[in-house]
Amino acid sequence: MMHAKILAAVLFLAPSALAADRTWQQCGGIGYKGVMTCDRGDICQYWNDYYSQCIPAPTTTTRRTTTTTKKSTTTTKTTTKVSVTTSSTTEVPVTTTSTTEVPVTTSTTTTEVPVTSTSSTTTSTTPTSTPALEDLELYHGNALSSGWENWSWSSTFDFTYAGPPTPPAGSGGSVIQVTTGGYGGVSFRNPKGYAGYKTLVFQVAGASAWGLVADSTTEPFTSGAVSLVDSCPTPPTADAFTTCYFDIAKLGDHAWDRVTFQSWSDKDQTTYLANLFFTTKTALELTDTKSFGSGAAFGSNTLLLIGTGDITDVTVTKGGEPVAIASSEIVENPSRRVYAKLASSWAPGVYTVTHSAGVITITIPAAVTGDLSSANGTRKISKWIYGTNFPASSGFLNTYGIPLGRWGGNAMTPYNPITKYINAANDWYFENRPADNGGFESWAKMVAAGHAKAVYSIPMLDWVAKPKDCWSYSVAKYGPQDKVDPYNADAGNGLQNGTRIVNDPNDCYVPWGPSNVTAYLSSLDAATASTIEFFTIGNELDIADGTHPDIQQEKMSYDNELARVKAYGQAIRAAIPTAKILGPTSCCFWFWWHSSVGETDQAAHGGLSKLRYLLRELRAYDEEVGKKTIDYLDVHFNPQEGRPGDGSAADNASRLRSSRAWWDPTYKDESYMGQDGVYAGEENPGSVYFIRRMKKLISEEYPGLGLAVTEWYNNNDLVGGLQIADGLGIFAREGLDVATKWANTDPGSAGAAAYWLYSGGYNSAKPFPDQYLNVPIFYDPDTAAVFFAKGESNTAGVFINKNPTEYQHYKVVGWKAGTYTIRHFGTPGVRSDQGALFEATITLDASSTVVVPPYSAVFLSQ
Ligand SMILES: *[C@@H]1O[C@H](CO)[C@@H](O)[C@H](O)[C@H]1NC(C)=O
Ligand SMILES: *[C@@H]1O[C@H](CO)[C@@H](O)[C@H](O)[C@H]1NC(C)=O
Ligand SMILES: *[C@@H]1O[C@H](CO)[C@@H](O)[C@H](O)[C@H]1NC(C)=O
Ligand SMILES: *[C@@H]1O[C@H](CO)[C@@H](O)[C@H](O)[C@H]1NC(C)=O
Ligand SMILES: *[C@@H]1O[C@H](CO)[C@@H](O)[C@H](O)[C@H]1NC(C)=O
């Protein structure tokens, strides 16, 4: 018998503190899926693709901003006529006084489709779309039901819209038509609440890039956003209503009183809603069609079926011959699935799985063999490779088992740790504001509550923000400028016809230096100090003259950077002799090798590339002073800029190939990093092979240093999740020491699931063990990846299938028949399953083969 482990739902439960006062908090942006609702009276203001913010609705004028952390691109022209993208942090503007008119546009529908085409289904759902007496109506027949308040924002409504599409039965002939502006929300509150109701039933047509949020304004507590399509048996379309079921019961017992449909798009979306009501029936009771929507083969003899069907209705055949199902186990969370065990192992060939509502065809290829006993060595895996920047909450850290969170980014570079102010720098008109999260110390408490440790980026320019609302390039003081903050006409961008104004840093900053670092760190309380695992010497020092020209007016040269790394590294060391210090925290490919001064700087330093020069000098210096300035070389890297492109098959394949840039010297980079001329004389130009290249550089210039990547980025969609799973396995295999993925690893996404795949969540009994097992096994790194590790009592493998349509099959010699923990994401993830945390116990039979479905990542552990 299998024993299924019940997991928490995919839902991300934000800490209640977040719900208390949402004004100034982030409510949207590419990749953001934290809390997206705003308080009543606020609107969710779009600032840029990466950031939308709750601000008081128009007519209020206030001056404050909140943080964000997401890449924007700055193009740096160099004398070699190569243009390079450097990373920086996109920041946010302030307030508003304007009213946004939102035009009504034709709706566009994003329909997510299963990534495998082998399943056909004849299911038709018989939706429950009319309320019973005991149900709580929200909207029906032209009006909000009594007791409900409208808490919507950034949206335009027609509450008596009569179609098209044709209003569904029971609607009384009209529906709600709503056009949400960027991250707008359709939100309703009932002071009596809807605690005790298990499901919100609603009918929807039009845009589906929406999240659903249940809130309690009294507790206060918010569920965080749940994808709308996950609530719908079939994805909504533009031209017909679909009945959907928001599973409130799954969210736990709270004093729910508010529900929100939240646009996840920065674009206008038009959507239609009808027949909204809460019922005491569960979503499963309402939707149970007793059928399976999708399924896949796993492991040696496991057949996974997703849906509410009955396994006794399922038949499996191979070449016309029946294959018996020996046993099965149902797992209910986070959605119902059946792990059935075939009486015989999967073998190459075509299987036909027939269930009451359709047929699933599974084609198993020949197996590739790997023998665990022939592993030619082990390597200790650093647990610090599984970190992220700015984790969303302690709950996020616990759920995904992330052990390390980094505090750093452009706005944090001039962070004043005494008064807890920051400056938005070039990301937003050089404006000061209070630090997010109440400053580092309170943020560190959140990290500690998530059983994680912190990476603290220590300010290393000569100034930190003054504790006052202030901007570096006042128009009143410095005259008219090329651009000003649209919400603050006095805050300029510091450019006059393209020429940088020489400002007085005293306007908005106070002096800062190495002695301040030593004094501040010496004064840290014990709890904060014990949460810090690593320090970085600031953030992307090498582009400070671009990101912080108001306090770094000179171009950042080899000499300036080296002097700062020495001074600040030693200042940290003076306060905390055992500190683990990371530097120079170089921003990005071009600046690994060059300084912003240009080619002449390299020529003036023996023709050495910048990182090589810095390491060589640091080694000599450290020998002289007898203390290490840094313990780890810290370099930021985004394979192919971490981009999601156009979503085409070719784009997906190229993203999945780009993981080779972490390690493979034979992989010619497909981005601008593939050009030979940009490597400043370093060997094998055109290929990045990041970890191996940097380790070789360390061994040549400063043996003994570790290697850290405190920013790296992949998107969080399914392809991104597979890339991240691939990346983490490569970090383990290649012996990277520290890695924190760039911010916004959205809870509930495939990107976050990749972390969970390895960890199993905080304190899981079956994490990926810490001894890497180098098992010779052949696979094509463009389409697959396989990683093994062993611990004291178990051996685990991670198998990543980057092929969108075909199964992969391995024979793992040395794995014994018996029960195994399986975790997986991806196919057969029809919509909801792509970031779902699916864990169960399955049986591997004596042949110990492992079948991996298309576009999925599978973890198996004894
Ligand atoms: C609901 O509130 C929004 C935002 O204040 C407003 O634009 C909309 O007209 C309201 N709708 C109704 C039907 O009151
Ligand atoms: C830019 O130059 C033009 C022409 O000399 C001048 O009129 C304008 O004021 C300048 N703009 C700024 C912001 O200094
Ligand atoms: C840094 O130290 C100097 C000298 O003690 C002091 O004047 C200055 O205010 C300190 N800076 C901050 C931000 O505390
Ligand atoms: C590319 O991958 C994404 C998931 O990351 C998927 O939604 C999309 O359908 C894929 N494109 C193709 C053409 O398969
Ligand atoms: C060890 O295994 C790895 C991975 O298969 C292989 O690349 C390498 O050549 C092997 N080394 C030796 C010494 O066998």
Side-chain angles (χ1 to χ4, degrees), residues 144 150-157 159 187-188:
L144 271 187
N150 173 13
W151 282 40
S152 307
W153 72 91
S154 309
S155 308
T156 51
F157 285 94
F159 265 57
S187 188
F188 304 109

Side-chain angles (χ1 to χ4, degrees), residues 415-419 462-467 509-517 519-520:
Y415 170 58
N416 183 333
I418 317 298
T419 57
D462 299 332
W463 305 86
V464 292
K466 239 181 209 175
Y509 295 89
V510 287
W512 180 257
S515 61
N516 298 82
V517 169
Y520 164 67

Side-chain angles (χ1 to χ4, degrees), residues 111-115 646-653 655 715-721 804 834 855:
T111 309
E112 294 189 50
V113 292
V115 288
D646 60 10
S648 65
D651 175 57
N652 285 356
R655 288 171 64 199
N715 197 258
N716 292 309
D717 59 357
L718 178 55
V719 165
Q834 293 179 351
Y855 258 21

Side-chain angles (χ1 to χ4, degrees), residues 87-386:
S87 75
S88 71
T89 308
T90 305
E91 276 297 335
V92 210
V94 282
T95 64
T96 183
T97 48
S98 67
T99 311
T100 321
E101 281 301 323
V102 187
V104 176
T105 58
T106 320
S107 68
T108 50
T109 302
T110 317
T111 309
E112 294 189 50
V113 292
V115 288
T116 171
S117 56
T118 57
S119 169
S120 72
T121 176
T122 54
T123 315
S124 75
T125 315
T126 326
T128 301
S129 55
T130 45
L133 272 184
E134 65 277 17
D135 295 335
L136 175 68
E137 250 181 31
L138 199 168
Y139 170 90
H140 169 244
N142 308 347
L144 271 187
S145 305
S146 78
W148 287 94
E149 299 164 352
N150 173 13
W151 282 40
S152 307
W153 72 91
S154 309
S155 308
T156 51
F157 285 94
D158 182 349
F159 265 57
T160 56
Y161 178 79
T166 309
S171 65
S174 65
V175 302
I176 302 175
Q177 180 196 50
V178 56
T179 300
T180 40
Y183 305 103
V186 181
S187 188
F188 304 109
R189 177 175 179 264
N190 189 327
K192 288 195 190 132
Y194 54 88
Y197 289 95
K198 293 191 172 135
T199 308
L200 168 65
V201 182
F202 60 95
Q203 288 175 288
V204 62
S208 58
W210 262 11
L212 278 165
V213 187
D215 263 319
S216 164
T217 61
T218 56
E219 256 179 79
F221 186 84
T222 173
S223 68
V226 180
S227 168
L228 178 136
V229 292
D230 286 358
S231 299
C232 306
T234 55
T237 63
D239 47 17
F241 280 87
T242 303
T243 305
C244 304
Y245 308 87
F246 181 27
D247 194 340
I248 313 287
K250 223 151 108 172
L251 303 176
D253 208 4
H254 293 281
W256 305 118
D257 60 0
R258 180 183 179 187
V259 66
T260 301
F261 298 77
Q262 157 89 61
S263 167
W264 278 357
S265 169
D266 58 328
K267 312 275 180 328
D268 294 345
Q269 292 197 98
T270 298
T271 306
Y272 308 91
L273 288 168
N275 291 330
L276 288 84
F277 64 94
F278 292 85
T279 116
T280 52
K281 293 205 170 69
T282 64
L284 188 62
E285 282 165 355
L286 293 164
T287 55
D288 194 351
T289 53
K290 304 280 184 233
S291 72
F292 294 110
S294 61
F298 278 98
S300 57
N301 58 354
T302 298
L303 170 66
L304 167 67
L305 294 164
I306 296 184
T308 57
D310 191 336
I311 191 69
T312 59
D313 294 340
V314 175
T315 57
V316 181
T317 58
K318 180 170 189 255
E321 295 299 314
V323 180
I325 295 174
S327 63
S328 66
E329 184 80 4
I330 296 169
V331 182
E332 296 285 358
N333 268 325
S335 63
R336 187 180 186 277
R337 63 221 129 94
V338 178
Y339 290 89
K341 197 170 105 181
L342 300 187
S344 56
S345 309
W346 297 111
V350 180
Y351 289 79
T352 302
V353 179
T354 308
H355 55 96
S356 61
V359 171
I360 297 164
T361 306
I362 293 169
T363 305
I364 307 289
V368 173
T369 300
D371 184 347
L372 294 178
S373 69
S374 65
N376 63 14
T378 61
R379 183 203 284 277
K380 174 99 173 133
I381 301 170
S382 163
K383 72 182 207 181
W384 306 121
I385 59 176
Y386 304 108

